[in-house]
């Protein structure tokens, strides 16, 4: 009997679908099942597609893709509908994909699907039909599962996280109880991770040749999935390694290739204690998960490699704090930005100088990429070289600016290769006296914490960022640390992260600085954690995943002497003739110095008097004003003394201003608000000073002046 007669007798039709030509060839039986004229013919793909239920057509597209990937039969059940969408019958399709000759011309692989169509009996009323099993709750559960699995695997940031996600997956209706991910190293098969096994169970599989008669090794060799529904299937197909698998007591196994960019990078094994027949739908789920797992492992592997590289770069490029500095304590932290290489353009350094002093350097190269890190390394080496030659802070920064401005690529318009600038603060510290000579290139000012915990921004002179001009000047400022005082140098990432600017960021950090007055290491940790949370990565901790900007912070404390230091606070600021706006900065510094003063009215009075005296210096002299403010004593009984010095020998004169006069009230206010005030002659110039006693009411003060000229003067 001919095959055609057998197929006709069983109501089975033949079809051939050429997706390159867009045609479907049907015999008479297949055409009848599809409600087409019952005679052999070649039909357009669109004509045949119109006969299938739209939902089922989407389903068969996935089944065909699975069959092509695995080289297996494509099996599906499809509903045949008429022109109005009414279901006429259900047919079962079984077809084999064969590569089409059209692949060579188009560059894309096309297939010819050759198979059979056979009608499926309708289910009896009250029973669940086969098609319902495909399109009902199980399908919805599968789609929801795949969406959740894809989202979880996409969010996993490391190989460990990817494995943890795949181990926690609960597949709809056929969850495995044991999983293993195999990787390839050369010609050996290794285990990347496993779940559902006891410690040591993986030993026979940890180092296996790819030539081994083992399913995972064959999957790597061929790139095709292997399904073993029963122990007999396993034993018959892989007798050599069956004893290794038998002791786990499983009933079914699936081994799927992990393919990325056409390369098989490993195998995923899923083992089941209950029998699994591996229907096309179940295979589709497993294949989809394997594809997502392969992509997630590839991303995580790249991230792990970058992380290891960045840690190596960080250890190489960031210095150790070196030997102890006599009389001083140092702590530092560095936190790179998140994403890509965990290395950026921020840095700090401590440099022993030929004169026995120590240079503290902190800086920030523009950008958060590899080139920023490279420039940072070059600039750090240059600064070390200039400092080791014995240059003063201003000369070190001037040479560094000239060096950085020369690191350009002529004719290169690429943004990544364009010239960049860097901010920097360089301080030369004398351990014996606590004096620091500070030069600043566009960098945030340092912060000084007094022995009693008060934190004040120390205004310093500054110049342009490094690299902006080849010949730039960098004036220096002298700051003296008393016993028990601490100075903090930081990059703007510590202050401005989280949407803050310099002002609001400082408000956020100030309580932390004033709360951690003991251990300097704990203070450094607290600063970093306040910005990036407890998972921040610094010189002794783990990585965090998300950062807005690099952070570098350097803390230097002058150790307290054996005798308790006098409880005092001190701040100073130069107010230049060309920068009258620095009077506002002086007022702000004074308020910060007196932030816990008992009487707010006295604080307002001190700020008013400082403003009057400093303004008079700028208006009536040709030189700059130097403000020095110091508060001494115990809280509640402290004395504030403010000195404003200038280079003029002319003494202030008291005047009687009219009601509408805009000036002439400076000394009148001094008498009304200060407890004491006076003028002290200096080598060149004078110093006007006033004192306020905390907790005392102001009374007219007796000036410490030898004489006043009554009507004329300031």
């Amino acid at each position: 009997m001919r095959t055609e007669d057998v197929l006709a007798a069983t109501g089975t039709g033949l079809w051939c679908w050429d997706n390159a030509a867009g045609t479907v060839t049907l015999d008479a039986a297949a055409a009848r099942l599809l409600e087409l004229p019952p005679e052999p013919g070649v039909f357009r793909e669109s004509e045949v597609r119109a006969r299938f239920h739209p939902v089922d057509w989407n389903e068969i597209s996935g089944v065909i893709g699975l069959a092509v990937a695995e080289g297996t039969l494509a099996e599906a059940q499809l509903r045949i509908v008429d022109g109005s969408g009414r279901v006429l019958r259900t047919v079962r399709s079984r077809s084999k994909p064969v590569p089409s000759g059209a692949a060579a011309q188009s560059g894309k692989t096309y297939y010819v699907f050759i198979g059979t169509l056979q009608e499926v009996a309708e289910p009896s009323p009250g029973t669940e039909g086969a098609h319902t099993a495909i399109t009902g709750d199980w399908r919805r559960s599968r789609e929801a599962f795949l969406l959740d699995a894809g989202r979880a695997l996409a969010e996993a940031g490391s190989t460990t996280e990817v494995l943890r996600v795949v181990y926690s997956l609960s597949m709809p209706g056929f969850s495995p109880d044991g999983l293993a991910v195999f990787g390839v190293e050369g010609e050996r098969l290794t285990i990347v991770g496993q779940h559902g096994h006891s410690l040591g169970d993986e030993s026979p599989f940890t180092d296996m040749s790819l030539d081994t008669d083992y399913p995972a090794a064959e999957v790597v060799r061929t790139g095709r999935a292997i399904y073993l529904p029963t122990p007999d299937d396993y034993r018959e197909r892989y007798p050599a390694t069956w004893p290794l698998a038998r002791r786990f007591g499983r009933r079914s196994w699936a081994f799927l290739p992990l393919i990325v960019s056409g390369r098989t990078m490993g195998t995923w094994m899923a083992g089941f204690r209950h029998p699994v027949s591996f229907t096309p739908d179940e295979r589709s789920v497993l294949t989809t998960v394997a594809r997502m797992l392969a992509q997630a492992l590839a991303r995580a592997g790249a991230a792990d490699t970058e992380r290891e590289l960045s840690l190596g770069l960080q250890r190489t490029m960031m210095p150790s704090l070196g030997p102890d500095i006599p009389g001083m304590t140092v702590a530092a932290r560095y936190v790179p930005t998140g994403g890509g290489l965990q290395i950026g353009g921020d840095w700090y350094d401590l440099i022993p100088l030929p004169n026995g002093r120590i240079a503290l350097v902190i800086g920030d190269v523009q950008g958060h990429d590899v080139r920023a890190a490279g420039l940072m390394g070059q600039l750090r080496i240059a600064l070390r070289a200039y400092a080791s030659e014995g240059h003063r802070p201003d000369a070190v920064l001037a040479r560094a600016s000239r060096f950085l401005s020369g690191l350009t690529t002529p004719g290169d318009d690429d943004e990544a290769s364009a010239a960049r600038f860097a901010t920097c603060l360089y301080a030369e510290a004398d351990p014996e006296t606590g004096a620091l000579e500070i030069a600043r290139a566009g960098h945030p000012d340092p912060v000084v914490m007094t022995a009693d915990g008060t934190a004040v921004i120390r205004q310093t002179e500054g110049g342009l960022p490094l690299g902006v001009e080849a010949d730039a000047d960098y004036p220096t400022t002298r700051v003296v640390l008393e016993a028990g005082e601490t100075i903090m140098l930081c990059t703007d990432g510590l202050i401005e992260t989280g949407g803050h600017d310099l002002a609001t960021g400082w408000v956020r950090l100030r309580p932390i600085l004033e709360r951690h007055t003991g251990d300097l290491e704990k203070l450094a940790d607290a600063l970093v954690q306040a910005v990036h949370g407890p998972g921040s990565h610094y010189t002794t901790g783990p990585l965090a995943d998300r950062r807005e900007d690099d952070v570098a912070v350097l803390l230097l404390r002058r150790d307290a002497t054996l005798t308790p230091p006098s409880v005092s606070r001190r701040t100073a600021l130069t107010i230049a003739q060309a920068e009258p706006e620095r009077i506002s900065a002086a007022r702000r510094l004074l308020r910060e110095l007196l932030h816990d003063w008992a009487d707010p009215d006295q604080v307002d009075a001190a700020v008013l008097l400082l403003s009057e005296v400093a303004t008079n210096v700028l208006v009536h002299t040709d030189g700059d004003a130097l403000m020095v403010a110091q508060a001494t004593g115990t809280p509640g009984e402290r004395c504030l003394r403010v000195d404003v010095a200038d280079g003029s020998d002319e003494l202030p004169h008291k005047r009687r201003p009219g009601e509408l006069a805009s000036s002439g009230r400076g000394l009148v206010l001094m008498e009304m608000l200060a407890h004491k005030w006076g003028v002290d002659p200096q080598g060149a110039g004078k110093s006007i000073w006033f004192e306020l006693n905390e907790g005392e009411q102001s009374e007219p003060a007796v000036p410490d002046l030898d004489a006043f000229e009554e009507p004329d003067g300031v």
Side-chain angles (χ1 to χ4, degrees), residues 5 105 122 128 195 262 272 300-301 333 361 549 556 567 607 694:
D5 296 333
Q105 289 77 23
E122 293 294 329
E128 185 178 7
H195 177 70
F272 303 84
R333 296 291 183 268
V361 187
D549 198 0
L556 175 71
V567 180
V607 171
E694 189 177 19

Side-chain angles (χ1 to χ4, degrees), residues 14 76 87 206 396 554 618 639:
L14 297 175
V87 176
T206 53
V396 170
L554 186 58
L618 297 188
C639 176

Side-chain angles (χ1 to χ4, degrees), residues 228-281:
L228 303 171
T230 67
D232 290 340
D233 293 325
Y234 200 128
R235 182 173 55 252
E236 292 173 3
R237 189 167 177 180
Y238 303 98
T241 53
W242 165 244
L244 297 177
R246 179 177 55 190
R247 58 195 179 98
F248 295 107
R250 298 201 171 95
R251 305 292 302 278
S252 300
W253 299 261
F255 293 84
L256 297 105
L258 300 174
I259 301 175
V260 177
S261 301
R263 181 179 65 88
T264 303
M265 57 180 289
T267 302
W268 174 43
M269 186 277 289
F272 303 84
R273 290 195 178 276
H274 58 278
V276 179
S277 59
F278 298 116
T279 65
D281 290 295

Side-chain angles (χ1 to χ4, degrees), residues 664-676:
R665 295 184 173 83
L667 299 186
V668 176
L669 291 173
M670 199 84 75
E671 289 184 352
M672 294 176 58
L673 301 177
H675 292 114
K676 292 182 182 180

Side-chain angles (χ1 to χ4, degrees), residues 684-703:
K686 64 181 180 298
S687 173
I688 305 175
W689 59 269
F690 63 86
E691 293 182 357
L692 289 174
N693 299 321
E694 189 177 19
E696 292 185 15
Q697 296 295 323
S698 297
E699 296 180 0
V702 178

Side-chain angles (χ1 to χ4, degrees), residues 3 57 72 196 243 277 281 284 306 317 404 482 535 593 638 653:
T3 303
W57 179 261
T72 58
S277 59
D281 290 295
S284 176
E306 289 181 349
M317 301 177 76
L404 185 58
E482 303 294 340
L593 190 75
R638 289 170 289 194
H653 304 292

Side-chain angles (χ1 to χ4, degrees), residues 152-240:
L153 288 171
E155 294 175 353
S158 67
T159 300
T160 301
E161 291 180 10
V162 170
L163 295 176
R164 185 166 55 246
V165 168
V166 75
Y167 298 156
S168 65
L169 296 178
S170 179
M171 300 184 189
F174 65 113
S175 291
D177 75 291
L179 301 170
V181 175
F182 297 87
V184 180
E185 293 184 4
E187 296 298 320
R188 312 295 294 181
L189 192 70
T190 62
I191 288 187
V192 178
Q194 57 84 24
H195 177 70
H197 306 86
S198 301
L199 185 64
D201 284 347
E202 73 281 2
S203 298
F205 308 95
T206 53
D207 188 16
M208 183 180 292
S209 172
L210 288 180
D211 295 331
T212 305
D213 187 27
Y214 181 63
E218 182 176 331
V219 167
V220 172
R221 295 195 303 266
T222 64
R224 295 185 180 277
I226 295 174
Y227 299 99
L228 303 171
T230 67
D232 290 340
D233 293 325
Y234 200 128
R235 182 173 55 252
E236 292 173 3
R237 189 167 177 180
Y238 303 98

Side-chain angles (χ1 to χ4, degrees), residues 71 110 188 248 308 346 387 528 557 604 643 666 711:
Y110 290 100
R188 312 295 294 181
F248 295 107
E308 292 176 5
D346 290 22
V528 171
R557 173 173 294 168
D604 292 338
D643 290 81

